[in-house]
Amino acid sequence: QVDVARQIESVIAADLSHSHTVREFSAQFGISEGSIKHYFFGVFGQSISRYTTHKRMMYAAGLLEKTDLPVIEVAGRVGYESQSKFASAFRREFGLPPFEYRKKKKVSDML
């Protein structure tokens, strides 16, 4: 069970721009969707979708801090086709929209 959960985590981390489904993992591992969800939650303490969103937002924050990529490109790199959906998810994670987050980080880096 732990091995399956860790393999799923590896698949997610390998390509944050791809939206993986529980059904996809179920077919890949030959395990029921319910078991996949249970195994993953048991190891990581959160659902696959919540875990994926958190990883995406952490990676996006790093891109916003360390690059000058346009926000729409950052959104695409973490699996969002819509900049507004990305901005909403980012705000839920960090309390700021991506533009403000980048601006705040650049100012704090100058101090």
Side-chain angles (χ1 to χ4, degrees):
Q1 296 175 359
V2 172
D3 186 48
V4 170
R6 293 199 187 285
Q7 287 180 51
I8 291 169
E9 178 198 28
S10 293
V11 170
I12 292 167
D15 184 5
L16 292 171
S17 68
H18 181 75
S19 293
H20 300 280
T21 64
V22 173
R23 179 174 286 158
E24 176 186 329
F25 290 128
S26 175
Q28 181 178 347
F29 293 101
I31 301 169
S32 74
E33 291 180 32
S35 292
I36 292 287
K37 291 175 184 178
H38 179 74
Y39 296 169
F40 196 88
F41 193 90
V43 173
F44 295 101
Q46 53 191 324
S47 68
I48 291 172
S49 63
R50 179 66 199 123
Y51 180 89
T52 301
T53 299
H54 177 71
K55 286 294 185 186
R56 285 175 167 176
M57 294 303 106
M58 295 303 293
Y59 183 59
L63 290 174
L64 290 167
E65 290 175 34
K66 296 176 176 102
T67 73
D68 289 324
L69 291 171
V71 172
I72 188 68
E73 189 168 334
V74 172
R77 288 189 183 199
V78 295
Y80 287 83
E81 293 178 20
S82 162
Q83 185 172 332
S84 65
K85 286 184 181 180
F86 167 68
S88 293
F90 194 90
R91 182 189 294 262
R92 276 191 303 277
E93 191 77 25
F94 294 102
L96 296 168
F99 294 107
E100 287 182 35
Y101 180 88
R102 174 179 270 165
K103 191 167 125 180
K104 183 177 178 182
K105 288 295 181 179
K106 293 213 184 232
V107 167
S108 69
D109 287 349
M110 294 197 309
L111 299 176

